[in-house]
């Protein structure tokens, strides 16, 4: 069994890393660890994770009831316990709101796969669990289907991310890997393009994953919903052929790109016709009548302008009536 005091110190250390990297604001986020024998350590509620001390760490039982420590336990303990009960080999859970990853959770846009090798190996597919009120049993259970599909890192719609592993450090690493990845994706979108790794290279990564003993539904021939990789996100990329690549007859194309592999020109590339895509919330497409994101943005800008003008006119009228005669 783990040395309880040492684990408490490690929880404080991980909390500081989460805070220093900007994954948690104010008192956000929580961390937990399975001690064994139906006992779990967890962070207290209402405390910045950047300033934890070992005496603040609470002890809870299998039902989340506090059985040790004087600081009240996190209100999110049910989320953590759901993971511990579902996955007996998991000992540590970290929950935070890392901003780049949370942006995808807020947008309801799946994180695309098949882009960075480390991400493929260490975390794999990152699903988005449906939104529910934080702290509730329903909220805790939103992640169940994904735990059963071997996800170690899950986005929580309109909220944040949760990651788990055998050790506290590895659970935390998943959050760090995910947020860095999402940041790179957002930067790549600004640069204007992204290339996904082709099947043979993905297979090589899966072979490495098997050798390292890291589970992935693809190793059993299982389905990963976003295997193709976050199509909604990728559709926003440039329509133009990447310089140095082989364009098709319309000037689009991904070209060879990767040494010793067949050209990707001719593989699906976002086109003008498919560029407009519906908003997606927690994996569900909203009705097309809501309009595209750009149409919505334009409409909102127009509404803001009208509102501003109404305010200016109202201020003038009030000013005229209120002015001394
Ligand atoms: Zn949270």
């Amino acid at each position: 069994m783990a040395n309880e005091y040492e684990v408490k110190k490690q929880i404080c250390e991980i909390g500081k890393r989460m805070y220093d990297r900007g994954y948690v604001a104010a008192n956000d986020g929580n961390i937990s660890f399975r001690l064994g024998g139906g006992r779990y350590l967890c962070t207290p509620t209402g405390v910045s994770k950047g300033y934890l001390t070992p005496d603040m760490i609470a002890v809870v039982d299998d039902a989340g009831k506090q059985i040790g420590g004087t600081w009240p336990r996190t209100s999110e303990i049910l989320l953590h316990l759901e993971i511990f009960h579902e996955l007996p080999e998991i000992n540590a859970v970290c929950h935070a709101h890392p901003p780049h990853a949370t942006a995808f959770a807020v947008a309801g846009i799946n994180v695309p796969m098949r882009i960075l090798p480390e991400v493929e190996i260490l975390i794999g597919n990152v699903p988005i669990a449906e939104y529910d009120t934080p702290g509730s049993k329903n909220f805790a259970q939103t992640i169940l289907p994904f735990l059963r599909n071997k996800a170690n890192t899950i986005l929580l719609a309109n909220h944040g991310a949760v990651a788990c592993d055998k050790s506290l450090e590895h659970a935390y690493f998943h959050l760090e890997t995910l947020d860095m990845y999402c940041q790179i994706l957002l930067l790549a979108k600004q640069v204007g393009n992204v290339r996904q790794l082709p099947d043979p290279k993905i297979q090589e990564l899966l072979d490495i994953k098997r050798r390292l003993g890291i589970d992935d539904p693809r190793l059993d021939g299982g389905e990963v919903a976003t295997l193709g990789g976050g199509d909604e996100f990728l559709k926003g990329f440039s329509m133009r052929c990447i310089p140095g690549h082989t364009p098709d007859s319309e000037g689009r194309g991904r070209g060879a790109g990767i040494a010793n592999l067949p050209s990707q020109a001719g593989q699906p590339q976002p086109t003008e016709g498919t560029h407009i895509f519906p908003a997606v919330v927690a994996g569900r497409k909203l009705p097309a009548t809501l309009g595209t994101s750009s149409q919505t943005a334009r409409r909102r800008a127009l509404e803001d302008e009208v509102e501003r003008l109404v305010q200016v006119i109202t201020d003038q009228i009030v000013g005229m009536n209120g002015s001394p005669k």
Side-chain angles (χ1 to χ4, degrees):
M1 192 175 283
N3 178 312
E4 200 168 310
Y5 186 73
E6 285 304 314
V7 179
K8 286 180 179 177
K9 281 204 306 190
Q10 206 184 351
I11 289 175
C12 300
E13 164 67 22
I14 296 291
K16 179 154 173 36
R17 289 203 221 176
M18 292 201 320
Y19 182 75
D20 287 349
R21 288 195 71 97
Y23 295 171
V24 284
N27 302 327
D28 294 347
N30 25 76
I31 305 163
S32 65
F33 185 85
R34 186 203 305 266
L35 287 171
R39 297 170 73 245
Y40 307 84
L41 293 177
C42 71
T43 47
T45 189
V47 174
S48 167
K49 303 308 164 292
Y51 300 91
L52 292 169
T53 51
D55 59 297
M56 293 176 177
I57 307 301
V59 188
V60 297
D61 67 10
D62 264 323
K65 184 167 165 281
Q66 186 149 353
I67 54 174
T70 52
W71 293 66
R73 55 115 170 119
T74 170
S75 58
E76 296 285 23
I77 193 62
L78 296 181
L79 177 75
H80 297 241
L81 289 173
E82 208 67 53
I83 295 173
F84 290 130
H85 294 158
E86 186 66 27
L87 305 173
E89 72 279 13
I90 290 298
N91 295 320
V93 177
C94 291
H95 162 59
H97 309 157
H100 304 93
T102 304
F104 282 80
V106 166
I109 298 285
N110 284 319
V111 178
M113 295 178 71
R114 305 171 67 116
I115 293 168
L116 287 185
E118 289 82 359
V119 175
E120 288 296 311
I121 291 173
L122 297 173
I123 55 180
N125 184 44
V126 181
I128 307 179
E130 294 276 340
Y131 177 82
D132 216 314
T133 307
S136 66
K137 182 76 177 161
N138 281 348
F139 164 65
Q141 290 181 334
T142 57
I143 60 172
L144 268 180
F146 307 112
L147 295 175
R148 289 170 185 160
N149 200 29
K150 303 173 179 176
N152 61 24
T153 309
I154 300 170
L155 285 175
L156 308 166
N158 293 65
H159 184 163
V162 63
C164 60
D165 211 307
K166 293 186 177 77
S167 73
L168 279 164
E169 187 160 55
H170 281 93
Y172 166 72
F173 277 167
H174 296 329
L175 290 182
E176 204 171 287
T177 300
L178 173 66
D179 200 61
M180 178 71 79
Y181 180 46
C182 290
Q183 186 175 15
I184 290 167
L185 288 170
L186 294 168
L187 289 171
K189 192 149 194 167
Q190 289 180 326
V191 172
N193 220 325
V194 70
R195 286 178 296 168
Q196 287 179 297
L197 300 172
D199 287 345
K201 292 298 167 195
I202 291 296
Q203 190 54 56
E204 287 176 19
L205 296 174
L206 288 175
D207 291 343
I208 295 171
K209 207 163 178 174
R210 180 183 284 113
R211 285 203 295 278
L212 292 173
I214 304 173
D215 223 341
D216 189 300
R218 291 171 289 181
L219 291 173
D220 312 332
E223 287 288 313
V224 176
T226 55
L227 190 62
D231 288 347
E232 301 296 338
F233 181 79
L234 297 177
K235 275 180 189 165
F237 280 100
S238 164
M239 300 295 117
R240 287 166 301 143
C241 175
I242 303 168
H245 289 199
T246 315
D248 63 16
S249 58
E250 292 175 311
R252 305 184 186 107
R254 294 180 175 186
I258 296 160
N260 304 320
L261 284 168
S263 168
Q264 292 179 38
Q267 282 194 12
Q269 174 89 351
T271 63
E272 300 290 353
T274 56
H275 195 203
I276 292 170
F277 54 92
V280 173
V281 172
R284 285 195 306 246
K285 286 184 180 176
L286 296 179
T289 48
L290 286 178
T292 64
S293 52
S294 59
Q295 284 170 338
T296 307
R298 274 197 298 275
R299 195 181 65 229
R300 286 198 184 131
L302 199 61
E303 285 167 1
D304 287 348
E305 182 60 14
V306 169
E307 200 172 308
R308 194 184 65 79
L309 286 171
V310 168
Q311 190 62 51
V312 168
I313 292 164
T314 307
D315 288 345
Q316 284 176 358
I317 291 169
V318 170
M320 279 161 58
N321 291 343
S323 59
K325 294 193 173 137

